[in-house]
Amino acid sequence: MIKLQIAVDGPASSGKSTVAKIVAQNLGIIYLDTGAMYRAATLVALQNKTEDPEKIIDVIKKKPIFFKNTADGQLVFLGTEDITKIIRTNEVTQNVSKISALSAVREFLVAEQQRIASEGGIIMDGRDIGTVVLPHADLKIFLVASVEERAARRYKENLEKNIPTDLEELKQEIEARDYKDSTRAVSPLKQADDAILLDSTGKTIAQVADFIEAKARELL
Ligand code: CDP
Ligand code: CDP
């Protein structure tokens, strides 16, 4: 059994979750989408009309966030509620950087992420995995791409899902979120000193996934 810990960090829509899922599948390790956990916490804040971290944490303790792997992909639950789709809405996206800047929320979710990581081989994607969650990860990747390409990729994805979007608005939303995520006081988005910088501009999903998998296999 592969026991590697792989951290994938980077700005919004750089392809982290897409490639992390492929690498997880190919190496037979767990994939953990930490962004989905912050999105779930944001949904709790919106549903309960609160920005009080203790209230948000209380709700999550009663209705835990968990993932279920199915033939249709990985589903996200909050207690018994399937929140896979609702956590990707604009309202959640526009509020997630604010909620993920709350240090008590982060402490709570990071502890949960570290508990899951202690169970075996894992690839996690997020903003602070290499710096805070798994500082001793075997492999750290900092995945970037130009903002134009990231917005264009998201635009194409939305078109395929029949979600109407404006390319310029998408670009602005991505830039605004990157700015907030990189400048917050607690665990900002930052490349770890020992992370490999991987620029995926102009690269296919397969090229990026193959690179990470090859680096991981060098460590086996
Ligand atoms: O997939 P996308 O790039 O839209 O973002 P995500 O990975 O779903 O993360 C959503 C938001 O959660 C980010 O913009 C961050 O504000 C926050 N996040 C974080 O603070 N720390 C993490 N480890 C992961 C996500
Ligand atoms: O997780 P993160 O927000 O970093 O990005 P993602 O949701 O994995 O990827 C955003 C979009 O870019 C998806 O539609 C991917 O299929 C696409 N993508 C791509 O076209 N080329 C890559 N090299 C990586 C991702």
Side-chain angles (χ1 to χ4, degrees):
M1 202 175 89
I2 294 178
K3 290 214 76 174
L4 284 182
Q5 289 191 333
I6 307 175
V8 182
D9 291 299
S13 299
S14 57
K16 302 179 297 297
S17 58
T18 306
V19 298
K21 274 179 209 159
I22 297 170
V23 174
Q25 177 108 40
N26 291 349
L27 293 178
I29 57 178
I30 294 171
Y31 162 61
L32 185 67
D33 179 355
T34 65
M37 298 171 80
Y38 289 97
R39 286 174 178 274
T42 306
L43 180 69
V44 167
L46 291 168
Q47 283 178 340
N48 294 276
K49 296 187 176 45
T50 182
E51 287 177 18
D52 176 346
E54 295 312 323
K55 284 195 184 135
I56 296 171
I57 293 167
D58 257 6
V59 174
I60 302 176
K61 279 185 180 158
K62 286 183 194 125
K63 296 196 279 184
I65 303 165
F66 66 95
F67 297 88
K68 229 186 223 176
N69 290 317
T70 72
D72 297 330
Q74 196 174 66
L75 304 180
V76 192
F77 281 80
L78 180 66
T80 54
E81 187 189 355
D82 179 351
I83 58 166
T84 314
K85 287 213 172 85
I86 198 173
I87 58 169
R88 305 282 157 197
T89 55
N90 266 343
E91 198 188 7
V92 171
T93 303
Q94 275 159 14
N95 285 282
V96 65
S97 292
K98 185 170 59 187
I99 300 304
S100 65
L102 301 172
S103 58
V105 170
R106 298 202 72 83
E107 256 171 53
F108 177 75
L109 293 181
V110 166
E112 183 60 11
Q113 291 155 10
Q114 289 173 333
R115 187 191 62 72
I116 297 169
S118 70
E119 290 172 359
I122 194 161
I123 180 164
M124 253 190 224
D125 81 309
R127 303 294 186 285
D128 60 340
I129 310 303
T131 51
V132 176
V133 184
L134 302 176
H136 304 297
D138 303 287
L139 175 63
K140 298 181 185 178
I141 303 287
F142 197 75
L143 186 59
V144 299
S146 73
V147 70
E148 287 75 21
E149 180 150 337
R150 288 184 285 135
R153 287 174 183 171
R154 197 60 96 190
Y155 182 75
K156 185 166 166 269
E157 183 184 327
N158 287 353
L159 267 189
E160 284 161 7
K161 291 184 191 158
N162 281 324
I163 304 171
T165 19
D166 180 278
L167 184 61
E168 193 49 37
E169 264 174 35
L170 259 183
K171 191 172 156 232
Q172 283 170 13
E173 181 269 310
I174 286 174
E175 280 176 329
R177 200 143 52 90
D178 286 350
Y179 178 77
K180 283 186 207 148
D181 290 344
S182 317
T183 54
R184 70 179 172 224
V186 215
S187 311
L189 166 66
K190 188 170 136 246
Q191 182 178 346
D193 292 338
D194 51 351
I196 299 172
L197 177 66
L198 176 51
D199 187 346
S200 73
T201 312
K203 290 197 172 70
T204 64
I205 293 169
Q207 283 172 326
V208 179
D210 285 353
F211 176 89
I212 300 175
E213 189 183 332
K215 283 283 168 203
R217 290 200 185 276
E218 282 173 17
L219 301 168
L220 296 179

